[in-house]
Amino acid sequence: DRRGVMFEQAKQQIRAIEEKEKREKQEVEQQNKVAELMALRAQHDQEDIKELALTIAVVQNDQTQAMQHADKWLEVTRSHINAADKLIQSLREKSKENQKLIESQSQLVKALEAANLDLLDRISNIRYLQISFLPSQLQCVLENAEEFYWRIENVRTARTSSTDIYSEPFLSKMFNYTFRLKAKMNGEEIGLGFELTSGSRDDDAVWPFALKFSIAILDHSLNPLVNKTMAASLESPSIIAAAFNKPLKNQSNRARGWPRLITWSAVMGEGKSDCAVVRDGCVVTLKLERDESTTR
């Protein structure tokens, strides 16, 4: 199932090879990091990647040959992903057979770029997972922080509703807090926030909550369309008591965030390339990290 993922990495490596005379070692290492991040995010989307691989095979009209080429390049990529310099040197010394494989992969990339509009709409930027492929909820543990993703469905219907929308509860594996995200419809604007709720690991968490949290809405390429950050430790005592103290059992605290974060016109994009709505859904992300300004 990871073949499709590594195939996409192979395509990037081919592009890197074509421009290798213009690139420095630092750029190659950065591309490998991007590939690793793409692989991490792609682990929850294996079925869609498989579908993409099958579509590519149909475009080439020779599925068996395409998969064979992909397998060979996946092996090369896996064996050299942590040694970019060795990979480049090895590729320079490849025989004519490998050169033919490179040409074949280049043709495969061109065929992919020439695919029908529906396919291109789903993979407008192959380095990022599309919003429409994301599960309803996802979380990633980083070195010193934790990220959570929430896909809001039926966005256009929600726009006409005055009802607040809540995600299912998230559990922070790093900080032990249980919380849920909240979207508030305010006429022509959207408000976003999060609220702590009682959970199974409350006794292991540090109270009151004193982390720094950032909320963002992502565009169709998973880049932040708007991003806001707040430090809980800098709030007033009354707000801390209401929003950041340990919740009572089976209850939630008051939500904290930005009541008017972004306008609907910005979210819908109005035909612009940075539209946040794809297939009537958009993605909200929350990042939790330690606040270095406090000693608590």
Side-chain angles (χ1 to χ4, degrees), residues 222-254:
L222 298 185
N223 294 314
L225 190 63
V226 61
N227 192 349
K228 296 288 185 179
T229 300
M230 182 181 298
S233 61
L234 300 180
E235 296 285 7
S236 66
S238 61
I239 292 179
I240 290 178
F244 300 121
N245 277 343
K246 183 177 180 180
L248 298 177
K249 187 173 183 180
N250 298 324
Q251 295 188 28
S252 298
N253 288 355
R254 188 179 69 183

Side-chain angles (χ1 to χ4, degrees), residues 3-223:
R3 292 177 178 176
V5 177
M6 300 309 297
F7 167 74
E8 300 305 331
Q9 296 175 353
K11 188 183 77 173
Q12 293 185 13
Q13 292 295 335
I14 292 169
R15 289 177 178 172
I17 293 170
E18 293 174 347
E19 299 177 4
K20 59 182 175 292
E21 297 300 330
K22 298 179 181 180
R23 297 188 179 184
E24 301 294 336
K25 176 180 178 181
Q26 183 177 1
E27 182 180 358
V28 175
E29 294 175 348
Q30 183 178 2
Q31 289 179 347
N32 286 336
K33 292 180 180 179
V34 171
E36 292 176 359
L37 177 59
M38 183 181 67
L40 177 62
R41 291 181 174 176
Q43 65 182 342
H44 295 284
D45 198 33
Q46 294 179 356
E47 290 301 322
D48 293 284
I49 298 300
K50 181 179 180 181
E51 179 183 349
L52 177 60
L54 293 176
T55 304
I56 294 172
V58 171
V59 174
Q60 280 298 101
N61 198 24
D62 190 351
Q63 179 177 354
T64 302
Q65 182 179 4
M67 293 305 297
Q68 289 175 348
H69 292 331
D71 288 341
K72 291 180 180 179
W73 276 106
L74 288 174
E75 292 178 4
V76 175
T77 303
R78 280 193 293 263
S79 63
H80 294 85
I81 197 167
N82 294 321
D85 290 338
K86 292 182 180 180
L87 174 61
I88 293 174
Q89 184 62 31
S90 175
L91 291 174
R92 286 175 177 174
E93 298 175 354
K94 287 296 180 180
S95 64
K96 292 182 179 180
E97 178 182 357
N98 278 354
Q99 292 299 324
K100 292 180 179 179
L101 287 176
I102 293 174
E103 293 175 0
S104 175
Q105 292 297 322
S106 297
Q107 294 175 358
L108 190 62
V109 171
K110 292 179 180 179
L112 176 63
E113 293 174 346
N116 61 62
L117 294 178
D118 178 67
L119 178 60
L120 290 178
D121 179 64
R122 295 173 56 196
I123 55 170
S124 61
N125 190 332
I126 204 167
R127 295 174 302 170
Y128 298 95
L129 296 175
Q130 291 299 297
I131 290 177
S132 58
F133 294 160
L134 285 175
S136 60
Q137 296 193 190
L138 177 69
Q139 67 187 86
C140 300
V141 178
L142 308 178
E143 183 176 356
N144 296 309
E146 208 166 0
E147 288 185 348
F148 305 85
Y149 295 83
W150 173 36
R151 175 177 166 81
I152 303 177
E153 304 286 357
N154 303 317
V155 171
R156 291 176 176 82
T157 301
R159 180 179 183 180
T160 62
S161 171
S162 60
T163 304
D164 296 339
I165 303 173
Y166 294 89
S167 71
E168 292 297 321
F170 287 95
L171 174 60
S172 169
K173 298 178 182 178
M174 180 177 292
F175 303 111
N176 299 313
Y177 297 108
T178 300
F179 65 91
R180 59 181 183 173
L181 296 173
K182 174 184 178 180
K184 185 175 183 62
M185 308 305 159
N186 296 309
E188 291 303 312
E189 296 178 300
I190 301 176
L192 291 176
F194 93 111
E195 61 181 32
L196 294 167
T197 184
S198 64
S200 59
R201 294 169 65 173
D202 284 354
D203 291 340
D204 298 323
V206 177
W207 302 102
F209 177 94
L211 301 177
K212 183 167 64 175
F213 60 95
S214 303
I215 290 181
I217 293 182
L218 306 182
D219 66 15
H220 70 283
S221 294
L222 298 185
N223 294 314

Side-chain angles (χ1 to χ4, degrees), residues 241-283:
F244 300 121
N245 277 343
K246 183 177 180 180
L248 298 177
K249 187 173 183 180
N250 298 324
Q251 295 188 28
S252 298
N253 288 355
R254 188 179 69 183
R256 192 70 178 135
W258 294 266
R260 300 183 181 276
L261 181 66
I262 189 172
T263 63
W264 270 108
S265 60
V267 172
M268 303 304 291
E270 298 180 348
K272 298 179 181 179
S273 61
D274 58 354
C275 174
V277 178
V278 176
R279 296 190 178 181
D280 205 23
C282 68
V283 169

